[in-house]
């Protein structure tokens, strides 16, 4: 019942009001894999450069993530530098060096071929589509994207959306993609593009899931008095959501709801320390305890 | 166990993407009273002008609202005109004519003196304080305010806050009042100013309640594909919240949580039609049904 994830594995330099870190391990596929690894088997497809050493790989393998799909290329790994000094909700990008990622042509290891689930992290929709088509056997496909692809690569993105079961995006992305400011109407418009299940993340206000039958379910974000580093919160949410969902015997309305809670739980951990530090140190007992915190935050007796 | 509410009773001219209405009944005390009337006895204190006739008063009395505290003054009633054409979340004020409200000196009818609960709707904090002091017997005091008082009448507002048990404000107001963008830290700062219970309304993202013991509880807003008219949503939330809360035999952690749901329920109705139209036509059965909708929207099995 493994998930194969394709996306970026990168180095990030991050500055937030709580401090800064240089070249810590990052990338959407990294956060997704670490987060989902608490729930199910994860197999990663990405490209890294010569600066990606055994220490970085061990961060993933220590959580049981299958790294046989990590391609080594000559040159440096994807590097991103950003600052949250002005706004904790939105990074100001200072540097984006695609490096080896510029020539990324995802190759699916034969040992990944029996994956039941696929997650297309935020990369060029042309690559997302290629991976989707190379894994026709998967039972469920979820994916992410961002405003850059929505605005400047819309035709390619629309092709990907046709093949997605679940799309996870944020408020702004949903509004831009749908061309509609009301999120209920936006969700309907996006569902008509392909994904029957739409998860919209509202940052500090939590997240909503819209299902094909018109039903909606909402989870909050954890009230945090310090957000160390928002980097990777959305990918960690996706990892918790999809990791939990696909680990269940039955994928039904109730498992989707619980998956939303696990998504929010994992996002809340990710921002407590810099980069992947918190996810690396996390235990399943802590996850379960926080799940109960979320229940107390939202449930009547 | 009645609530006495002091605030504005006004005429509003409203323009939204869904249409427009001229001179419909409005004002914070009106919305609060109508909303709270579904849960408990409400007594209103306000000033109206000669343009306020039996038809307007009947809107309140039809719901059992005690209007003996409605003072008639020479001149016109408070008039507000606003547009939501650019932004459904924030009105653009076109006209504010205080009229008789400019000389408002709240008088508390002797028959209101046994009220156990007081709600200080959004008016000049000098008047809020005067009413609070004139009703020393009340068991619980809740109140609202707005950025104008926070920014330009801060010393008077801080005096009011000292005497408040519960403050209900929105995100922007909380951040401005506390001088702190993180809402958890902002809530602590505001609690230190007086109100041990703080309700922060997040518009389409719902609302949070912060208690003295550090606990927090969150409710969503109802996902609506059409918002006819946001006017009065916050006051209707307050009416549902405080009306339900004060109607309970025991005011405890659980009743506060349920009150948050009733607040969000009443806010969701208010915006479905123009002005007070929806609240006027509302039934208790509809309220109960929507409460269950909110439960389904947030609760795991």
């Amino acid at each position: 019942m493994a998930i194969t994830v394709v996306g970026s594995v990168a180095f990030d330099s991050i500055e937030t009001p709580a401090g800064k870190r240089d070249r810590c391990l990052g990338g959407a596929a990294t956060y997704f894999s670490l987060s989902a690894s608490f729930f199910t088997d994860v197999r990663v497809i990405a490209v890294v450069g010569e600066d990606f050493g055994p220490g970085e790989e061990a961060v993933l393998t220590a959580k049981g993530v299958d790294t046989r799909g990590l391609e080594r290329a000559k040159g440096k790994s994807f590097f991103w530098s950003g600052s949250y000094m002005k706004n904790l909700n939105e990074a100001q990008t200072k540097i984006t060096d695609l490096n080896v990622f510029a020539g990324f042509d995802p190759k699916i290891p034969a040992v990944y071929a029996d994956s039941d689930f696929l997650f297309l992290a935020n990369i060029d929709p042309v690559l997302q589509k290629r991976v989707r088509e190379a894994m026709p056997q998967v039972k469920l496909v979820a994916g992410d994207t961002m405003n850059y692809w929505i605005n400047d690569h819309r035709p390619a993105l629309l092709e990907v959306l046709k093949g997605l079961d679940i799309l996870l995006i944020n408020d702004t992305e949903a509004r831009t993609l749908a061309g509609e400011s009301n999120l209920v109407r936006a969700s309907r418009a996006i569902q008509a593009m392909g994904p029957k299940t739409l998860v919209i993340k509202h940052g500090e206000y939590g997240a909503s899931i819209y299902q094909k039958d018109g039903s909606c379910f909402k989870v909050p974000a954890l009230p945090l008095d310090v957000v160390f580093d928002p980097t990777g919160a959305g990918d960690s949410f996706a990892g918790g959501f999809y990791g939990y969902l696909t680990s269940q015997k039955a994928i039904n309305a109730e498992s989707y709801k619980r998956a939303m809670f696990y998504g929010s739980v994992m996002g809340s951990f990710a921002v407590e320390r810099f980069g992947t530090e918190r996810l690396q140190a996390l235990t399943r007992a802590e996850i379960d305890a926080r799940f109960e915190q979320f229940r107390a935050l939202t449930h009547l007796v």
Side-chain angles (χ1 to χ4, degrees), chain A residues 107-179:
Chain A
K107 293 165 195 69
I108 296 130
V111 289
Y112 286 15
D114 64 344
S115 303
D116 281 331
F117 305 104
L118 178 61
F119 187 77
L120 306 170
N122 168 35
I123 52 171
D124 186 334
V126 170
L127 301 184
Q128 289 181 315
K129 184 161 183 249
R130 205 178 293 165
V131 174
R132 172 68 188 95
E133 287 175 347
M135 299 188 77
Q137 86 292 348
V138 296
K139 293 178 183 166
L140 201 69
V141 188
D144 187 10
T145 191
M146 68 185 289
N147 268 342
Y148 172 69
W149 309 115
I150 295 170
N151 289 318
D152 297 350
H153 296 257
R154 191 175 178 90
L157 178 63
L158 291 178
E159 282 301 308
V160 172
L161 294 182
K162 287 182 195 168
L164 277 193
D165 299 298
I166 307 169
L167 176 67
L168 296 98
I169 49 180
N170 69 30
D171 283 4
T172 311
E173 290 157 357
R175 291 185 166 116
T176 307
L177 179 57

Side-chain angles (χ1 to χ4, degrees), chain A residues 89-100:
Chain A
N89 295 313
E90 197 178 339
Q92 285 190 289
T93 292
K94 291 155 80 178
I95 302 168
T96 302
D97 286 337
L98 289 177
N99 298 324
V100 299

Side-chain angles (χ1 to χ4, degrees), chain A residues 56-284:
Chain A
E56 281 80 24
E57 186 158 1
V59 170
L60 293 165
T61 53
K63 296 290 180 203
V65 176
D66 191 331
T67 55
R68 285 177 288 183
L70 268 191
E71 179 191 347
R72 313 294 173 133
K74 287 210 170 174
K76 288 184 165 186
S77 300
F78 186 4
F79 174 73
W80 177 80
S81 171
S83 170
Y84 298 90
M85 295 304 281
K86 287 196 179 168
N87 182 354
L88 260 178
N89 295 313
E90 197 178 339
Q92 285 190 289
T93 292
K94 291 155 80 178
I95 302 168
T96 302
D97 286 337
L98 289 177
N99 298 324
V100 299
F101 209 72
F104 184 32
D105 181 17
K107 293 165 195 69
I108 296 130
V111 289
Y112 286 15
D114 64 344
S115 303
D116 281 331
F117 305 104
L118 178 61
F119 187 77
L120 306 170
N122 168 35
I123 52 171
D124 186 334
V126 170
L127 301 184
Q128 289 181 315
K129 184 161 183 249
R130 205 178 293 165
V131 174
R132 172 68 188 95
E133 287 175 347
M135 299 188 77
Q137 86 292 348
V138 296
K139 293 178 183 166
L140 201 69
V141 188
D144 187 10
T145 191
M146 68 185 289
N147 268 342
Y148 172 69
W149 309 115
I150 295 170
N151 289 318
D152 297 350
H153 296 257
R154 191 175 178 90
L157 178 63
L158 291 178
E159 282 301 308
V160 172
L161 294 182
K162 287 182 195 168
L164 277 193
D165 299 298
I166 307 169
L167 176 67
L168 296 98
I169 49 180
N170 69 30
D171 283 4
T172 311
E173 290 157 357
R175 291 185 166 116
T176 307
L177 179 57
E180 164 64 55
S181 67
N182 177 288
L183 288 176
V184 179
R185 291 201 299 266
S187 72
R188 273 189 224 131
I190 293 167
Q191 286 171 315
M193 297 174 191
K196 295 299 170 252
T197 299
L198 177 66
V199 175
I200 304 184
K201 295 165 287 174
H202 314 305
E204 67 176 308
Y205 300 117
S208 306
I209 185 167
Y210 294 90
Q211 297 286 17
K212 193 187 174 182
D213 64 3
S215 68
C216 177
F217 188 74
K218 290 185 174 270
V219 293
L222 195 71
L224 293 169
D225 58 1
V226 179
V227 171
F228 257 74
D229 173 13
T231 312
D235 301 309
S236 302
F237 182 105
F241 169 84
Y242 205 49
Y244 173 81
L245 184 73
T246 60
S247 73
Q248 298 305 294
K249 272 188 194 153
I251 296 184
N252 54 32
E254 191 61 20
S255 47
Y256 270 108
K257 291 176 186 177
R258 296 178 71 92
M260 289 293 285
F261 273 91
Y262 280 107
S264 208
V265 162
M266 297 307 289
S268 76
F269 281 121
V271 304
E272 284 186 344
R273 295 285 178 274
F274 274 94
T276 59
E277 289 170 13
R278 188 68 182 94
L279 295 184
Q280 287 185 53
L282 194 61
T283 66
R284 181 62 202 239

